[in-house]
Amino acid sequence: MKLVRWLAVIAIVLFLALVAGVLGLNAWLDSAGGRATLERQLSAAAGVPVLLPDDFDVVLWPPVGASGSDLRVLDSVGGEVVARSRSFSIELAPRPLINRELRAESVRLEWLALGPPGGASFAVPKIEISGFEPGRATGLQIDLGLLGEVSGFFSWFPRSARVDLDLRYSVPEHDDIELAVSAGYGAESIGLDELVVRIGGQQLSGQGCVLLGGPELNLSLEAETLDLEALMNAMPSGPGTPSAGLPLEVNLSLEAKTLYRGGVRAEDAVFELGAPPRCP
């Protein structure tokens, strides 16, 4: 009987210690110290300052994480807000919490607005990032609402302000678009290098940029052989202009050694849409 009582006492002590630890962890996460630690971890991972100015809720099980109503990404040079999420939720790895260390395993951002406050911007309904670790492939899901969804992987290199993307863009009743690109980001633009696009059974390659102030997409692409009508029909906007229905201006220069359009064939052809592409 004594053994049973001792086991009961030990169980109660362990339970109380666990409760005290959980309550202490909750208080720390909910405090200014926990917020500052989480901001530092997210900033280090992103390579740019990240702020959580509003109160957030802590969830200890399951899974361990935090959620809130405001997440801001700042320009590391000027300190201006370049992106802002209306709400966020972060899943934390449980083991590092024992040492009061934070590591985000997944992040979900809702209504992420890209662009400076008061300027032109566009909002993404939802972004989910899973298995995040700088320099390694990370899962990505982007909900674009009526414009479709993006899925795939990215590898983030914060020291060089670069992200490598391998993505698939899906829109109902249209062919998927596959995209591979190395993107260097800054406060005013995103550079697109080593760009490869596969759509409608055709492949294009080149480079370009996104100017965030517009926003404006600029692309210079080339292909060995290109069927222009098949390409236009495969675009999410349908057989019209590729920029139709998109929340940004599109400037495109497309070169093909052999270009088909209907029954017409042209050699060393150039197709242009909008203004000539311009990048910093």
Side-chain angles (χ1 to χ4, degrees):
M1 293 298 293
K2 288 184 178 180
L3 178 60
V4 173
R5 283 198 296 269
W6 275 111
L7 290 176
V9 170
I10 293 173
I12 292 172
V13 171
L14 291 175
F15 175 75
L16 292 176
L18 177 62
V19 170
V22 168
L23 292 177
L25 178 61
N26 180 74
W28 173 71
L29 281 172
D30 209 22
S31 69
R35 180 199 307 274
T37 302
L38 187 55
E39 288 178 337
R40 286 196 299 270
Q41 195 271 345
L42 293 173
S43 298
V48 292
V50 176
L51 295 181
L52 307 173
D54 289 350
D55 293 336
F56 59 86
D57 298 322
V58 176
V59 179
L60 292 177
W61 193 266
V64 180
S67 61
S69 58
D70 193 5
L71 182 147
R72 304 178 188 180
V73 180
L74 310 183
D75 171 22
S76 57
V77 178
E80 297 181 350
V81 177
V82 295
R84 184 171 183 171
S85 179
R86 186 183 299 175
S87 65
F88 69 90
S89 60
I90 301 171
E91 181 180 340
L92 300 172
R95 186 177 295 275
L97 287 171
I98 298 174
N99 299 319
R100 293 197 172 185
E101 298 175 355
L102 300 177
R103 188 177 77 241
E105 289 196 331
S106 67
V107 178
R108 184 173 72 177
L109 306 176
E110 296 190 2
W111 292 107
L112 178 67
L114 304 174
S121 64
F122 65 96
V124 179
K126 184 168 64 176
I127 295 179
E128 294 189 45
I129 301 169
S130 58
F132 179 74
E133 185 175 344
R136 303 186 68 175
T138 298
L140 178 65
Q141 294 279 340
I142 303 176
D143 179 3
L144 296 173
L146 297 176
L147 296 177
E149 63 180 19
V150 176
S151 60
F153 297 90
F154 73 93
S155 300
W156 202 329
F157 302 91
R159 290 187 177 181
S160 57
R162 189 184 96 247
V163 58
D164 294 344
L165 301 161
D166 188 356
L167 304 174
R168 180 183 297 270
Y169 176 42
S170 302
V171 179
E173 301 180 2
H174 286 277
D175 291 343
D176 288 351
I177 300 176
E178 297 179 11
L179 168 70
V181 64
S182 180
Y185 55 89
E188 299 180 353
S189 65
I190 301 173
L192 306 175
D193 298 316
E194 303 175 17
L195 175 62
V196 177
V197 181
R198 297 180 182 88
I199 176 174
Q202 304 183 83
Q203 178 171 307
L204 306 94
S205 60
Q207 60 278 324
C209 67
V210 178
L211 303 181
L212 298 177
E216 180 181 305
L217 174 63
N218 296 274
L219 294 174
S220 297
L221 302 175
E222 60 183 22
E224 287 288 329
T225 303
L226 188 65
D227 185 329
L228 190 57
E229 284 193 0
L231 176 66
M232 300 296 283
N233 289 331
M235 294 293 290
S237 56
T241 62
S243 59
L246 297 180
L248 74 170
E249 180 182 343
V250 177
N251 299 317
L252 170 67
S253 175
L254 178 57
E255 299 182 12
K257 290 187 177 180
T258 304
L259 178 69
Y260 296 94
R261 185 166 188 175
V264 178
R265 170 177 170 169
E267 302 293 335
D268 297 323
V270 178
F271 172 78
E272 295 182 338
L273 174 70
R278 58 189 185 98
C279 291

